[in-house]
């Protein structure tokens, strides 16, 4: 049987950012979800300083796809070699490299080379799909990298935490059952949940964001804002990312995590936000600055997280209180 043709593509773009900055973004894969729109979550499985294995989840065309990447980082050459299990063609791989070269003061040439060996001739992505994928990834990297000198102002990371004296299973159940939140949480007016695979949720929440200082984008309908959630019950974690967050946010990702101890647990809700410069005034009014957006985003998301944590605490501790009261009554 004749072998299938090897498909490859090589694309280069100019980026208005220094080579070391662009390489740093490529190397720091766990930060991709807040910098690159398609990535929901990236988990580093192992790393020896040069070679690493990553699990990556992306949201494209309404679907969540996961893949495993094996990468070799070459910082001196500003190059990253990779091999990725290809979700479009199970059992096959995409091999390739990112390379970054200086292109004058404060500029770079970024090249992405990808190759898919033995891809079926009728594979839906095809050579045009491979080329489009490379072009899209380069465009998204360029957009993120060209904010490099303003990222300290535009990136915001914070967390809310709460101590709960109750079973972790009940806390996790409350956080997982997001379809029940409209009846329980004051900032959630409605929700719909699609779970194509166990633990992978595509959620649409109506939180009244536009009425509370956040502005819906042109693609956002009245139904609310879409969030992808990856649920890891055995690890006590739920990772989330909004696919099209309201202005002034350009990206919003985060994680609910349960940290047990001898008498209960601490629940942490971590947020990572990238602000959009172009939407500051539209969302907050004329003359709005990043510092204004940082304060408002921190207050709003923090308040919503605390409301959710308080309800999770009540959900977990109420059965414990009833049990203790029942035991006390039986002794009397």
């Amino acid at each position: 049987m004749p072998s299938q043709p090897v498909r490859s593509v090589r694309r280069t773009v100019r980026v208005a950012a220094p080579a070391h900055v662009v390489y740093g973004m490529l190397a720091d894969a766990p930060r991709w979800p807040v910098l690159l729109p398609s990535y929901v979550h990236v988990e580093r499985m192992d790393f020896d300083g040069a070679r690493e294995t990553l699990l990556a989840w992306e949201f494209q065309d309404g679907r969540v796809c996961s893949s495993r990447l094996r990468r070799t980082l070459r910082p001196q050459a500003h190059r990253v070699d990779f091999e990725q299990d290809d979700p479009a063609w199970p059992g096959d791989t995409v091999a390739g490299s990112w390379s970054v070269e200086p292109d004058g003061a404060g500029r770079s040439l970024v090249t992405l080379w990808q190759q898919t060996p033995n891809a079926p001739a009728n594979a839906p992505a095809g050579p045009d799909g491979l080329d489009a994928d490379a072009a899209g990834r380069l465009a998204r990297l360029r957009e993120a990298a060209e904010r490099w000198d303003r990222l300290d102002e535009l990136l915001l990371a914070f967390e809310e935490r709460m101590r709960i004296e109750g079973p972790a299973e009940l806390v996790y159940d409350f956080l997982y059952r997001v379809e029940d939140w409209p009846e329980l949480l004051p900032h959630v007016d409605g929700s719909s949940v699609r779970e194509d695979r166990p633990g992978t949720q595509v959620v649409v929440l109506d939180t009244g964001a536009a009425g509370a200082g956040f502005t819906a984008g042109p693609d956002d309908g009245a139904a609310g804002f879409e969030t992808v959630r990856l649920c890891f019950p055995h690890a006590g974690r739920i990772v989330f990312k909004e696919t099209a967050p309201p202005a002034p946010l350009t990206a919003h990702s985060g994680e609910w995590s349960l940290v047990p101890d001898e008498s209960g647990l601490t629940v942490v809700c971590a947020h990572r936000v990238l602000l959009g410069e172009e939407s500051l005034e539209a969302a907050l009014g004329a003359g709005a600055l990043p510092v204004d957006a940082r304060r408002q985003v921190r207050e709003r998301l923090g308040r919503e997280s605390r409301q959710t944590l308080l309800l999770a605490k009540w959900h977990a501790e109420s059965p414990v209180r009833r049990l203790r009261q029942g035991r006390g009554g039986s002794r009397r």
Side-chain angles (χ1 to χ4, degrees):
M1 182 175 179
S3 61
Q4 302 294 342
V6 173
R7 293 170 176 167
S8 65
V9 62
R10 185 184 301 271
R11 273 184 169 264
T12 300
V13 298
R14 283 186 166 84
V15 178
H20 73 275
V21 169
V22 181
Y23 173 80
M25 287 187 175
L26 291 169
D28 190 6
R31 208 158 62 131
W32 289 352
V34 79
L35 294 175
L36 303 176
S38 67
Y39 283 94
V40 175
H41 181 56
V42 178
E43 190 97 7
R44 179 174 279 147
M45 306 303 293
D46 59 62
F47 185 45
D48 66 4
R51 291 176 296 276
E52 65 180 359
T53 302
L54 307 172
L55 289 180
W57 287 261
E58 292 187 80
F59 187 68
Q60 296 178 311
D61 301 323
R63 295 176 58 249
V64 180
C65 298
S66 61
S67 59
R68 183 182 298 268
L69 288 88
R70 292 164 292 278
R71 306 203 312 165
T72 302
L73 308 183
R74 308 184 190 278
Q76 298 302 318
H78 290 160
R79 176 186 172 103
V80 179
D81 298 323
F82 65 86
E83 187 178 82
Q84 178 176 4
D85 297 334
D86 186 5
W89 304 318
D92 213 332
T93 60
V94 174
S97 65
W98 293 88
S99 59
V100 188
E101 302 174 50
D103 184 37
R107 300 185 65 86
S108 307
L109 286 173
V110 183
T111 299
L112 172 58
W113 170 72
Q114 294 186 128
Q115 177 177 282
T116 303
N118 302 321
N122 63 347
D128 293 338
L130 196 64
D131 186 64
D133 178 76
R137 292 184 186 279
L138 284 165
R140 293 189 290 269
L141 175 68
R142 178 171 59 188
E143 182 179 1
E146 290 184 346
R147 296 188 180 107
W148 71 276
D149 57 343
R150 304 178 302 283
L151 281 180
D152 285 347
E153 284 186 304
L154 299 176
L155 284 172
L156 175 63
F158 62 94
E159 63 182 36
E160 298 287 343
R161 54 178 58 221
M162 186 166 292
R163 181 81 175 80
I164 297 178
E165 296 182 1
E169 294 81 4
L170 290 180
V171 176
Y172 188 88
D173 177 73
F174 176 85
L175 296 174
Y176 178 80
R177 296 178 61 83
V178 67
E179 66 272 16
D180 295 338
W181 286 7
E183 299 176 4
L184 301 170
L185 292 169
H187 66 272
V188 179
D189 298 326
S191 70
S192 65
V193 182
R194 190 182 87 236
E195 192 162 347
D196 296 331
R197 297 195 306 272
T200 300
Q201 300 176 330
V202 180
V203 178
V204 177
L205 287 179
D206 179 1
T207 61
F214 288 20
T215 303
D219 297 328
D220 296 317
F225 300 98
E226 186 179 64
T227 300
V228 176
R229 305 201 327 159
L230 306 175
C231 305
F232 306 99
H234 298 297
R237 301 170 63 204
I238 297 177
V239 176
F240 62 86
K241 178 173 178 177
E242 288 191 80
T243 62
L249 281 62
T250 292
H252 175 208
S253 65
E255 178 176 339
W256 297 93
S257 56
L258 280 58
V259 184
D261 55 44
E262 293 181 357
S263 59
L265 70 154
T266 299
V267 185
V268 181
C269 183
H271 296 271
R272 294 176 291 277
V273 169
L274 177 64
L275 301 174
E277 298 168 283
E278 64 286 346
S279 63
L280 289 180
E281 292 196 358
L284 304 180
L289 299 172
V291 65
D292 304 313
R294 292 172 67 90
R295 182 176 60 254
Q296 180 159 331
V297 169
R298 175 68 178 89
E299 289 175 355
R300 176 186 166 83
L301 293 180
R303 180 176 65 252
E304 293 179 354
S305 299
R306 290 191 298 274
Q307 289 174 345
T308 307
L309 287 167
L310 281 169
L311 266 294
K313 180 181 178 72
W314 175 85
H315 182 75
E317 292 185 351
S318 294
V320 175
R321 283 195 297 271
R322 289 195 296 269
L323 180 62
R324 288 173 177 168
Q325 290 167 358
R327 287 175 176 172
S330 65
R331 286 195 296 269
R332 292 193 301 269

